[in-house]
Amino acid sequence: MSLLSQHLRRSYASVGLRVLCKPSYTRRPLDKFRQLRHLAICDLNSTGPSLQRREPPAQNSPRQYQQSAMAGRSTAPPTEDFAALQQLALQAAKTGAEVVQEALDKPRNIHFKGVTDLVTDTDRASEEAILKVLQKEVPDHGFLGEEGGVSGNADSEYLWCIDPIDGTTNFAAGYPSFGVSVAVLHKAVPVAAAVVEFAGGPTAWVTRTYSASQGAGAQCNGKELKVTNTTDVTQSLLVTGFGYEHDEAWSANMELFKELTDVSRGVRRLGAAAVDLCHVALGITDGFWEYRLKPWDCAAGVLMVQEAGGIVTTMDGNPYTVFHRTTLAATPGLHARLLESTKPKTEALVNSGYPLGTWYVPDVYEQYVQTALS
């Protein structure tokens, strides 16, 4: 057993968490998830606060800490568990990034999951490398990968969300940007994450490495991250994304794209949600929104934004988890103003019957999602 596994087992025991000595590694496809319908807590007529974090035990804190909903992050110190998990997320993301780095500027073996939704052999190899790191260090946890589905301990309070290449279309074309995204949820709340972003382009590739843990802030290449102080939409640079299905949500976002392009400095569309969210945390963009993201797309980036001082909700202003199908992330001064545009479009979709509640949630996570939203 690795030193980190021993350390985490001792840590879990100290706070009364159950550790299984013989975890199950049965891999289950995503269609085995049960889809939660609209939760009662997600009342479309209410505007809830951004996702709150659990406070550490009082004995871990030598002074009083307060949680700021407007800042979208907790100022409480991270537990020893989360600091260790941040380092593990970094190790896993960097391992996946090494696989991607080796494949840059080389011919791709491209396969299609849909008409335009593609996957490469590098996606699969990167996910396998990441899982190998995680399964060695935290075999008692659950894992959710974009390419491989669910594996590990289905009863664990911890679930790792893995996107081996976020922005596969960009990677396949050699177009920056794309990245490797790894995050771990504890009871449905992101508590540690890392993203390795590839930028620059052919013959000049460079990387940025982001990481964060709950209550400890977010960093990029060792530098502390902070969202901008932008409060005026006319002075903002925004970013969004579009899914592969050209349906009602796609059309609604096209309208939002035009509306906000008309009143802002510009709206970018880079094609990698994890990277988009990291750019908000980095302070080079001011806000992000998108429909129909999956947990592996946004879990790491959402934590970066929250720990950099930003606010994250659904696009109709309700409390958020990474299992939701709408994401709005922005600076504290800009969030409410962007919501004035995104909320009417999103409510119209819901009222028309378009499914924008929660995505597929592992059975054990139903209770955690509801608790996170309460």
Side-chain angles (χ1 to χ4, degrees):
M1 182 187 301
S2 70
L3 292 176
L4 179 57
S5 295
Q6 296 177 40
H7 162 73
L8 290 176
R9 284 172 178 265
R10 289 195 299 270
S11 298
Y12 300 159
S14 69
V15 296
L17 296 181
R18 182 162 60 101
V19 177
L20 302 180
C21 295
K22 295 182 179 180
S24 168
Y25 294 109
T26 303
R27 185 175 296 276
R28 300 179 296 169
L30 288 177
D31 59 11
K32 294 299 184 182
F33 278 0
R34 262 195 314 132
Q35 184 175 16
L36 288 180
R37 298 302 178 186
H38 301 297
L39 298 175
I41 192 67
C42 293
D43 181 1
L44 291 173
N45 295 318
S46 68
T47 302
S50 56
L51 183 63
Q52 301 292 304
R53 295 183 177 80
R54 68 185 183 99
E55 295 288 351
Q59 62 267 26
N60 289 345
S61 176
R63 55 190 174 91
Q64 294 297 317
Y65 293 87
Q66 295 181 340
Q67 195 165 5
S68 171
M70 285 304 296
R73 61 167 292 191
S74 168
T75 55
T79 65
E80 191 174 1
D81 297 352
F82 298 161
L85 290 174
Q86 179 182 2
Q87 293 305 309
L88 179 55
L90 267 171
Q91 178 188 351
K94 287 180 177 179
T95 299
E98 290 173 0
V99 174
V100 177
Q101 181 79 43
E102 179 64 26
L104 292 175
D105 300 333
K106 294 180 180 178
R108 320 272 195 245
N109 290 321
I110 299 174
H111 312 274
F112 287 88
K113 297 186 283 187
V115 176
T116 57
D117 188 5
L118 55 85
V119 63
T120 69
D121 289 347
T122 308
D123 291 80
R124 294 165 176 161
S126 173
E127 184 167 310
E128 289 175 3
I130 291 167
L131 281 171
K132 185 176 181 180
V133 170
L134 296 177
Q135 289 170 343
K136 176 183 177 182
E137 299 294 344
V138 283
D140 305 304
H141 290 192
F143 310 103
L144 172 61
E146 178 177 11
E147 308 307 333
V150 183
S151 62
N153 178 10
D155 296 321
S156 177
E157 295 178 348
Y158 290 86
L159 180 69
W160 290 82
C161 299
I162 303 159
D163 197 337
I165 303 180
D166 182 49
T168 299
T169 299
N170 289 345
F171 165 75
Y175 181 89
S177 59
F178 50 86
V180 177
S181 178
V182 178
V184 59
L185 313 181
H186 179 248
K187 296 185 177 180
V189 178
V191 295
V195 174
V196 178
E197 174 193 1
F198 287 82
T203 75
W205 291 105
V206 295
T207 60
R208 295 188 184 103
T209 301
Y210 305 83
S211 70
S213 64
Q214 185 188 83
Q219 303 81 36
C220 176
N221 292 352
K223 180 181 178 181
E224 194 74 15
L225 298 183
K226 182 172 174 33
V227 298
T228 70
N229 296 319
T230 302
T231 60
D232 189 341
V233 175
T234 64
Q235 300 300 311
S236 68
L237 180 63
L238 307 173
V239 62
T240 189
F242 295 88
Y244 294 105
E245 296 184 21
H246 292 193
D247 56 7
E248 297 92 332
W250 185 90
S251 297
N253 201 26
M254 277 294 182
E255 295 174 7
L256 282 171
F257 186 92
K258 180 182 184 301
E259 177 183 327
L260 288 166
T261 296
D262 286 343
V263 297
S264 68
R265 287 182 172 175
V267 179
R268 302 293 181 254
R269 196 273 188 173
L270 302 180
V275 173
D276 292 339
L277 286 160
C278 285
H279 286 179
V280 176
L282 186 60
I284 59 177
T285 59
D286 304 295
F288 165 83
W289 76 91
E290 187 167 348
Y291 290 109
R292 295 173 59 86
L293 293 175
K294 311 295 196 307
W296 52 77
D297 293 316
C298 55
V302 160
L303 184 61
M304 302 299 170
V305 172
Q306 290 173 325
E307 291 300 324
I311 296 177
V312 183
T313 66
T314 63
M315 287 174 62
D316 51 1
N318 285 307
Y320 176 85
T321 75
V322 300
F323 297 101
H324 277 88
R325 297 192 233 194
T326 74
T327 306
L328 174 62
T331 68
L334 198 62
H335 182 274
R337 290 164 177 79
L338 292 179
L339 193 60
E340 293 173 1
S341 295
T342 64
K343 185 174 182 177
K345 292 283 194 301
T346 303
E347 288 183 337
L349 283 170
V350 173
N351 291 336
S352 72
Y354 190 89
L356 283 178
T358 50
W359 204 263
Y360 296 94
V361 182
D363 290 345
V364 72
Y365 256 59
E366 291 186 16
Q367 60 178 315
Y368 300 145
V369 169
Q370 295 187 54
T371 298
L373 294 171
S374 63

